[in-house]
């Protein structure tokens, strides 16, 4: 009789272990995909609700001053105290408004411009973003010579904004138009946003009979 024995260097391994495939690389890959998808969805939800822009310290004002017939401090329920201007509309005149814009969030945002740069035929007036300037330091509150272009506003930083208000049709003697909001477009990460922002001041363009005496 011949007795066969396993060589001493060959390990004894149960058949179930010897033939089972290794699954941990696939499970690790699936887990990483799940984590990445969850993180992307979470970031997208956060960025969609991200609204860090607000007015703050800086220059506010309306020109030309020769058209201003009244100015006083008003109180708003949500906007606090602000300057209210009454201006008599003059044919062919463009009113200039200035306000400071701040990024109060933890992420940078890119300001692309106004949500609508061209007026529709039904619009009585148009509000156009024409330039920016420093809100602090040298030249604070003054518009640069460069026309408005898309720019990035870092966290905790501010910029001086300048807009032009133009009447597209004449005002009747006893009518008026109010301007205190601007529609801005900006991007937070890869998510675009539109925002209606109170400019921190209010302007009323009026016909002759609608203005205060």
């Amino acid at each position: 009789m011949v007795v066969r024995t396993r060589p001493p260097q060959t390990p004894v391994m149960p058949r179930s272990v010897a033939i089972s495939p290794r699954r941990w690389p696939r499970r690790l890959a699936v887990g990483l995909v799940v984590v990445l998808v969850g993180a992307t969805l979470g970031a997208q939800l956060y960025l969609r609700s991200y609204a860090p822009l607000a007015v703050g310290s800086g220059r506010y004002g309306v020109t030309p001053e020769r058209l201003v017939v009244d100015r006083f401090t008003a109180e708003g329920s949500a906007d606090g105290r602000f300057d209210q201007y009454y201006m008599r509309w003059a044919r062919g005149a463009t009113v200039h408004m200035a306000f400071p814009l701040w990024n109060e969030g933890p992420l940078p945002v890119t300001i692309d411009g106004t949500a609508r740069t061209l007026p529709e035929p039904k619009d009585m007036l148009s509000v156009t973003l024409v330039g920016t300037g420093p809100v602090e330091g040298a030249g604070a509150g003054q518009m640069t010579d460069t026309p408005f272009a898309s720019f990035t506003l870092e966290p905790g930083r501010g910029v001086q904004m300048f807009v032009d208000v133009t009447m597209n049709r004449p005002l009747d003697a006893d009518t008026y138009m109010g301007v205190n909001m601007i529609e801005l477009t900006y991007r937070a990460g890869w998510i675009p946003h539109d925002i209606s922002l109170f400019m921190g001041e209010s302007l009323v363009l009026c016909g002759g009979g609608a203005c205060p005496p």
Side-chain angles (χ1 to χ4, degrees), residues 19-182:
I19 64 174
S20 63
R22 295 182 176 180
R23 301 182 181 274
W24 66 266
R26 180 180 299 177
R27 291 173 180 170
L28 178 61
V30 171
L32 289 176
V33 169
V34 171
V35 170
L36 290 175
V37 170
T40 301
L41 291 176
Q44 184 163 336
L45 290 175
Y46 174 74
L47 292 175
R48 284 190 179 279
S49 62
Y50 189 61
L53 299 179
V55 297
S57 60
R59 175 193 163 195
Y60 296 86
V62 171
T63 54
E65 294 187 1
R66 61 182 174 81
L67 299 179
V68 177
V69 295
D70 195 15
R71 171 187 174 182
F72 57 90
T73 300
E75 188 77 35
S77 58
D79 304 311
R81 299 169 67 87
F82 59 89
D83 285 338
Q84 174 70 64
Y85 293 86
Y86 280 86
M87 301 187 73
R88 197 179 306 278
W89 178 80
R91 183 181 297 276
T94 296
V95 177
H96 312 287
M97 301 180 70
F99 68 95
L101 181 69
W102 287 83
N103 178 6
E104 298 182 344
L107 301 176
V109 294
T110 299
I111 312 298
D112 290 318
T114 52
R116 190 175 65 201
T117 56
L118 296 177
E120 295 182 358
K122 63 181 178 62
D123 291 340
M124 283 290 295
L125 57 82
S126 58
V127 179
T128 306
L129 184 56
V130 294
T132 60
V135 75
E136 299 174 311
Q142 302 299 315
M143 186 170 69
T144 64
D145 295 332
T146 305
F148 176 82
S150 176
F151 66 94
T152 298
L153 191 58
E154 298 295 333
R157 305 297 295 177
V159 63
Q160 194 70 47
M161 306 285 279
F162 298 90
V163 299
D164 283 357
V165 180
T166 305
M167 295 297 303
N168 302 318
R169 290 184 285 166
L171 280 171
D172 295 333
D174 296 327
T175 59
Y176 60 88
M177 294 290 296
V179 182
N180 53 33
M181 306 288 291
I182 187 170

